[in-house]
Amino acid sequence: MADKLDLSEIGTTGLRRTGGTVFEEFLTALRGRRGAKVYREMSENDPVVGSILYAIEKIILRLDWYVAPATDDEADRLNAEFIESALYDMSDSWDNTLSEILSMLVYGYSFLEIVYKQRGGDSDDAKSKSNFEDGKIGWRKWAIRAQETHNNWLFDVDGGIQGFEQVDPYGAGIHRIPIDKALLFRTSTAKNNPEGKSLLRTAYRPWYFKHRLEEIEAIGVERDLAGLPVAYVPPEYLSSNATAEQAAVLASITAIVQNVKRNEQEGIVFPQMYDEQGHKLFDMTLLSTGGSRQFDTDKIISRYDQRIAMSVLSDFILLGHERVGSFALGSSKIDLWTMAVDAICKSIAETINYHAIPRLLKLNGMKTGNTPQLKYSEVSHVELTEIADYVSKLTAAGAITPNEETENYLRGLAGLPVAEATE
């Protein structure tokens, strides 16, 4: 008699968590909602980080996203047509939905709640408004649940992700959204961590030092322009035995020193008082700058910019800014970058193909054996001059014969329209 099959799960992924709170991130400043605020500041305040994210998003948005049938079977083709119609029949455009999905690049994950509708044509009710009037269940929208509103994750006894707990930003309490009514997009699935890993995680350290250095540099420039303010007061005003009136005067003078700035309202009013020997009791001077500093902050900040870009394979965006780097080197780096962008697109498509599409087919009682697949056009970096030279040499050698299919492919690489068919 064969041994009884053991279907239980014994081990764990090793994800560090307590209840619904994940502690995988070892820096407390980057955990949970606190970390979400840091990543948001990085993405919206830093020009290098912003340009990297903008480039990735625009490349992905310009791709053609389409639904392909699993086979040439008529039923599979109809399923694919239905899924594509549902994808482009949501209240938000596919580009807007894709932009919300791509927030995972900043935060490590994006959680979107699937809201369904029954397609009822041009209805006033949002729950049935559609471009189709076939009564089928479609997607009304994939609604983002902002990372800043995350409260807890819901896990099962084996550590499987079961849902997202959200603090309602409008004071309506706690919302618990089950995973089977949502889509969880992640940049990384290591240890089945629902929070993934922010694309900016390895850029945090250089960003932090750059951020602090820029603040210090700005203060230094302002102080150099204004001069270092120095106030002179009688010794008794600095004594621990100073009277309340003397302490108040000292506090006022200290505030003046700390707030000296060069602007259209600059100016200082100071009392002109002398002691019995004719010496000023109060005085203030501005010490001029001693000249250039020992450190070149511009080079240091540029080094941190480069490290930020390197952390996401995007340092090619800095080529030319420092008068260094060759075209060939930039081209090879762009090729590597496009491979990374392609991996992001693949991750998005797989999540939709494994979860969103089968659920919708099942809700409509459709065949789920061979589910259609969401696909996208090629993410590539093409040097047209190299392609032209390559094709020219192959044609001259008789290795290829130009035809309509080849012509249209080459036109597509250059973004040109397909040639009109000739009779």
Side-chain angles (χ1 to χ4, degrees):
M1 182 177 178
D3 292 337
K4 184 178 180 181
L5 179 63
D6 185 0
L7 300 177
S8 64
E9 184 172 350
I10 300 174
T12 69
T13 62
L15 181 68
R16 297 173 60 189
R17 66 181 180 89
T18 300
T21 304
V22 176
F23 294 98
E24 196 64 26
E25 172 58 63
F26 65 87
L27 288 181
T28 56
L30 298 180
R31 288 180 188 164
R33 277 181 281 176
R34 185 177 177 185
K37 291 180 180 178
V38 173
Y39 288 131
R40 181 176 180 181
E41 181 181 1
M42 291 176 67
S43 66
E44 296 185 1
N45 268 358
D46 190 280
V48 174
V49 173
S51 64
I52 291 169
L53 294 172
Y54 181 82
I56 295 174
E57 180 177 352
K58 295 310 173 185
I59 285 292
I60 293 177
L61 289 181
R62 71 181 290 272
L63 299 177
D64 292 325
W65 293 78
Y66 60 96
V67 180
T71 69
D72 293 332
D73 182 76
E74 178 68 11
D76 291 338
R77 185 181 62 80
L78 291 175
N79 281 355
E81 290 178 358
F82 167 68
I83 292 298
E84 185 157 332
S85 72
L87 192 68
Y88 290 97
D89 187 41
M90 294 191 285
S91 56
D92 276 337
S93 68
W94 170 243
D95 280 358
N96 288 344
T97 302
L98 197 51
S99 291
E100 297 287 17
I101 292 172
L102 289 173
S103 66
M104 71 175 181
L105 303 180
V106 176
Y107 303 102
Y109 73 95
S110 58
F111 191 92
L112 279 71
E113 180 181 352
I114 300 177
V115 183
Y116 296 100
K117 66 182 177 183
Q118 187 163 16
R119 308 201 303 190
D122 189 16
S123 170
D124 293 331
D125 187 355
K127 295 180 180 179
S128 58
K129 185 177 179 63
S130 171
N131 294 322
F132 305 91
E133 199 174 2
D134 51 17
K136 292 182 179 179
I137 303 299
W139 292 311
R140 178 181 163 194
K141 59 182 175 180
W142 297 351
I144 187 70
R145 298 302 175 237
Q147 290 84 350
E148 298 97 323
T149 65
H150 168 253
N151 186 56
N152 259 322
W153 294 101
L154 306 176
F155 294 94
D156 60 25
V157 293
D158 294 321
I161 305 166
Q162 295 301 305
F164 178 91
E165 189 175 85
Q166 177 190 40
V167 176
D168 193 299
Y170 305 108
I174 300 291
H175 301 306
R176 293 178 177 83
I177 307 167
I179 196 67
D180 58 3
K181 195 182 181 299
L183 293 172
L184 176 61
F185 298 91
R186 293 173 285 178
T187 57
S188 168
T189 58
K191 298 184 182 179
N192 198 29
N193 185 354
E195 297 181 356
K197 182 180 179 181
S198 171
L199 198 69
L200 308 179
R201 177 60 184 85
T202 51
Y204 172 71
R205 181 178 172 85
W207 171 83
Y208 176 81
F209 288 121
K210 172 193 169 185
H211 175 63
R212 295 290 300 127
L213 188 59
E214 285 180 330
E215 289 181 342
I216 295 170
E217 182 185 53
I219 294 170
V221 170
E222 184 180 49
R223 283 303 186 192
D224 273 0
L225 291 175
L228 178 65
V230 179
Y232 299 91
V233 298
E236 58 268 22
Y237 283 71
L238 301 172
S239 170
S240 59
N241 297 322
T243 64
E245 183 181 354
Q246 291 172 334
V249 171
L250 179 62
S252 298
I253 293 175
T254 300
I256 292 173
V257 171
Q258 292 175 341
N259 292 300
V260 169
K261 289 180 174 62
R262 300 304 304 269
N263 54 42
E264 67 277 5
Q265 296 181 358
E266 65 179 333
I268 299 173
V269 177
F270 230 62
Q272 185 154 348
M273 298 175 63
Y274 298 88
D275 60 14
E276 292 81 0
Q277 289 77 34
H279 301 127
K280 287 184 178 181
L281 288 176
F282 300 95
D283 197 8
M284 183 171 181
T285 61
L286 295 173
L287 299 184
S288 62
T289 176
S292 61
R293 294 294 184 251
Q294 183 178 359
F295 300 104
D296 187 342
T297 55
D298 188 57
K299 286 185 177 180
I300 299 173
I301 291 173
S302 295
R303 185 181 77 212
Y304 287 136
D305 278 339
Q306 187 177 34
R307 289 182 177 179
I308 290 171
M310 284 172 58
S311 69
V312 285
L313 303 177
S314 300
D315 48 324
F316 64 86
I317 67 172
L318 300 175
L319 290 177
H321 289 276
E322 307 300 324
R323 296 186 178 90
V324 296
S326 65
F327 175 80
L329 178 61
S331 181
S332 63
K333 289 186 175 183
I334 291 174
D335 288 336
L336 185 60
W337 180 76
T338 54
M339 291 174 60
V341 174
D342 183 79
I344 294 170
C345 295
K346 182 180 178 183
S347 171
I348 293 171
E350 285 182 346
T351 298
I352 295 170
N353 290 333
Y354 288 153
H355 301 290
I357 293 176
R359 291 177 196 165
L360 188 61
L361 291 176
K362 190 174 181 180
L363 283 173
N364 285 280
M366 294 179 173
K367 178 182 175 183
T368 58
N370 294 318
T371 57
Q373 301 287 295
L374 177 66
K375 296 186 177 182
Y376 52 91
S377 57
E378 184 179 3
V379 183
S380 62
H381 167 244
V382 178
E383 291 297 336
L384 294 178
T385 54
E386 295 180 5
I387 292 292
D389 182 61
Y390 177 66
V391 172
S392 176
K393 289 178 179 178
L394 287 179
T395 304
I400 63 172
T401 302
N403 54 38
E404 185 178 345
E405 184 179 356
T406 303
E407 180 184 354
N408 286 333
Y409 175 76
L410 294 175
R411 282 174 170 270
L413 290 179
L416 298 175
V418 174
E420 294 184 2
T422 57
E423 296 182 357

